[in-house]
Amino acid sequence: MTFLAAVTTTVAPGSAQQALGYPSLFLLVLVGALVPVVPTGALVSSAAVVAFHQGSPLSLALVFLTASTAAFLGDATLYWLGRRGMGSKNGSRWLEAIRSRAPEDRLEQSQRKLAEHDVAVLVLSRLVPAGRLPVMLACLLAEWPIRKFARGNLPACVAWAVTYQLIGILGGSLFPEPWEGVVAAVALTVLISAAPSVWKRLRSAG
């Protein structure tokens, strides 16, 4: 309940709470892009639920702008740190962190698709669970300049923010109370994130 309470108050009604809520959402999504242990998709969906119940299009627009901007800046920063690691003699902990979350099979698949489809793969990478970091590492190994990465990553972050905001709006429209919509949105985002690994295990078992 602590997590749910936190995300509910992230974009809570009232101008004073909103003044704190949007910067909090921005910071959490930014940190989640750098350290992928924060469930940023669930945060955006939960914030969208609360914004939907406020009945203000401006609130939904602010959630979208906050989430997409924070995701873009977080990805750009992580990519820049990864490029620094590629150029250093001993690498960097940021580069190693990316490598540790990019399994060899996913990396090879990302490299192959990147060679075939270029920027389009980057645009889709944020919509595929656990797809962002393998594609980012593939871009690093392909020595993409940060400007090229940023051009592809901008629509990726926009699509990501829209997708998870729509999940939140769906959850908000199905339930009369914001907390019920938050629970539904979090459950759906967790299910989406877990689906690929579950499918992979089922295929291996079969």
Side-chain angles (χ1 to χ4, degrees):
M1 289 300 294
T2 302
F3 171 74
L4 294 178
V7 295
T8 302
T9 55
T10 296
V11 192
S15 57
Q17 289 175 318
Q18 287 182 6
L20 294 173
Y22 293 116
S24 299
L25 178 63
F26 180 90
L27 182 61
L28 287 169
V29 173
L30 181 68
V31 171
L34 291 169
V35 185
V37 293
V38 178
T40 52
L43 286 170
V44 174
S45 296
S46 300
V49 169
V50 180
F52 176 82
H53 278 278
Q54 289 177 11
S56 170
L58 179 60
S59 296
L60 287 170
L62 286 174
V63 170
F64 165 74
L65 288 173
T66 300
S68 57
T69 302
F72 176 77
L73 292 177
D75 283 356
T77 301
L78 184 59
Y79 190 79
W80 177 76
L81 291 168
R83 278 184 60 84
R84 287 192 64 186
M86 294 286 291
S88 66
K89 184 177 180 180
N90 298 318
S92 72
R93 65 185 183 91
W94 292 102
L95 181 59
E96 289 305 312
I98 298 173
R99 287 185 185 276
S100 67
R101 293 181 176 272
E104 194 63 33
D105 58 332
R106 295 294 297 272
L107 175 59
E108 291 177 0
Q109 184 182 41
S110 298
Q111 288 177 306
R112 185 172 61 255
K113 290 185 176 180
L114 194 67
E116 294 173 355
H117 304 290
D118 202 54
V119 174
V121 176
L122 179 58
V123 174
L124 294 174
S125 66
R126 261 194 167 270
L127 300 180
V128 178
R132 180 177 69 102
L133 293 183
V135 172
M136 182 182 289
L137 182 56
C139 292
L140 286 168
L141 294 175
E143 299 184 349
W144 277 22
I146 192 167
R147 287 185 180 181
K148 182 177 182 179
F149 176 81
R151 284 197 301 269
N153 193 51
L154 179 59
C157 291
V158 169
W160 171 82
V162 168
T163 299
Y164 281 99
Q165 187 159 8
L166 287 175
I167 292 173
I169 292 172
L170 176 63
S173 65
L174 292 176
F175 298 94
E177 295 294 331
W179 72 266
E180 294 174 323
V182 168
V183 172
V186 170
L188 185 56
T189 53
V190 170
L191 181 63
I192 292 172
S193 300
S197 59
V198 172
W199 174 250
K200 187 176 180 180
R201 289 180 183 177
L202 290 174
R203 288 185 62 186
S204 300

